[in-house]
Amino acid sequence: NCSFSRHGVCCAQMTLAALKWKVPQLRHLASAVSALGAAGAPLDQLQGTFDEVLLRPWRFPPHVQRLHGRAEAERQQRQDLVDQSAIGAQRQSLFARKVVYAIVGRESPHIQVCVTKYSCAQDFFERSVQELQRTARSHGSRNTSSGRRKNAAKSGLALQNPEGLLLYVLESLDSGDIPYHRICDLRLRHWAQLVRDLSGE
């Protein structure tokens, strides 16, 4: 895994360059991940969008507003068990460690829930690179049908252009009393069910 540092970004860019050289037809799929390495600008944009959701949720589509409302209620309930103060406007929450977060389509109600012991920003970056690599392997396999190759690019939201996504930090799991490994899977399943329920509303 690449760490989200100058060295990690360089490694990811080298990986992407190699993929685009070997698999020319994937160049358009690499654009979203390549953008993440460009001086951190897209991550700053994603952080700014998250801050905007917290401050002015009414400016966003209904599915984002529903997710935000539920997340605020959950964080209030969890505060006594795990401090949630790392999540807030102007707090660089995308870089807080040990969180449950959501990758959200801005114009469509598609939500992917993730959990990470690192930061949301780092985890999202690594998912983007890994999904691109899986897609490259699928396109490069002679034994893979064309239908499966098309579906490979749709394995997750992380391959979409960052302008069409927002990252939402749902809950902090960073506690000195409760080990991360004891609660990460439980909270991930909890949030996955909450998102399914919200999708049905």
Side-chain angles (χ1 to χ4, degrees):
N1 291 338
C2 291
S3 65
F4 207 81
S5 62
R6 291 182 183 273
H7 177 69
V9 169
C10 289
C11 286
Q13 289 173 329
M14 290 170 62
T15 299
L16 289 168
L19 286 171
K20 288 185 284 185
W21 174 261
K22 293 179 180 179
V23 192
Q25 63 266 40
L26 289 183
R27 288 175 183 170
H28 66 289
L29 293 177
S31 60
V33 184
S34 296
L36 290 174
L43 283 176
D44 290 339
Q45 179 182 342
L46 289 166
Q47 178 63 64
T49 301
F50 177 61
D51 291 342
E52 186 70 9
V53 174
L54 296 182
L55 295 171
R56 287 170 280 273
W58 60 87
R59 293 185 175 180
F60 292 84
H63 69 282
V64 177
Q65 295 184 41
R66 289 194 295 270
L67 180 66
H68 170 65
R70 191 56 180 265
E72 283 206 318
E74 286 288 319
R75 287 195 293 269
Q76 289 177 4
Q77 292 178 7
R78 297 287 293 174
Q79 176 61 37
D80 290 341
L81 290 174
V82 179
D83 181 22
Q84 301 296 313
S85 63
I87 304 174
Q90 311 301 324
R91 297 182 188 176
Q92 295 293 302
S93 302
L94 298 192
F95 299 91
R97 298 180 72 252
K98 299 180 182 178
V99 296
V100 184
Y101 75 97
I103 308 172
V104 185
R106 295 193 63 160
E107 302 302 328
S108 62
H110 296 303
I111 301 174
Q112 181 178 342
V113 182
C114 310
V115 65
T116 177
K117 65 186 291 188
Y118 303 106
S119 71
C120 163
Q122 175 176 338
D123 190 70
F124 174 70
F125 184 91
E126 292 179 353
R127 284 175 187 273
S128 299
V129 173
Q130 289 165 4
E131 288 190 18
L132 185 62
Q133 290 174 328
R134 282 196 294 269
T135 303
R137 287 194 294 268
S138 177
H139 276 263
S141 173
R142 295 180 180 179
N143 297 324
T144 303
S145 68
S146 60
R148 289 187 64 187
R149 287 200 299 269
K150 290 180 181 178
N151 290 334
K154 301 177 182 178
S155 58
L157 287 170
L159 274 181
Q160 294 188 17
N161 191 304
E163 293 182 359
L165 299 174
L166 65 85
L167 300 182
Y168 191 103
V169 185
L170 298 166
E171 176 184 334
S172 174
L173 305 180
D174 194 359
S175 170
D177 299 322
I178 307 175
Y180 170 82
H181 70 270
R182 283 183 49 193
I183 58 174
C184 59
D185 289 341
L186 291 173
R187 298 309 294 172
L188 178 63
R189 288 195 295 269
H190 175 76
W191 274 107
Q193 183 59 56
L194 289 181
V195 166
R196 284 193 290 270
D197 294 343
L198 287 173
S199 299
E201 290 181 359

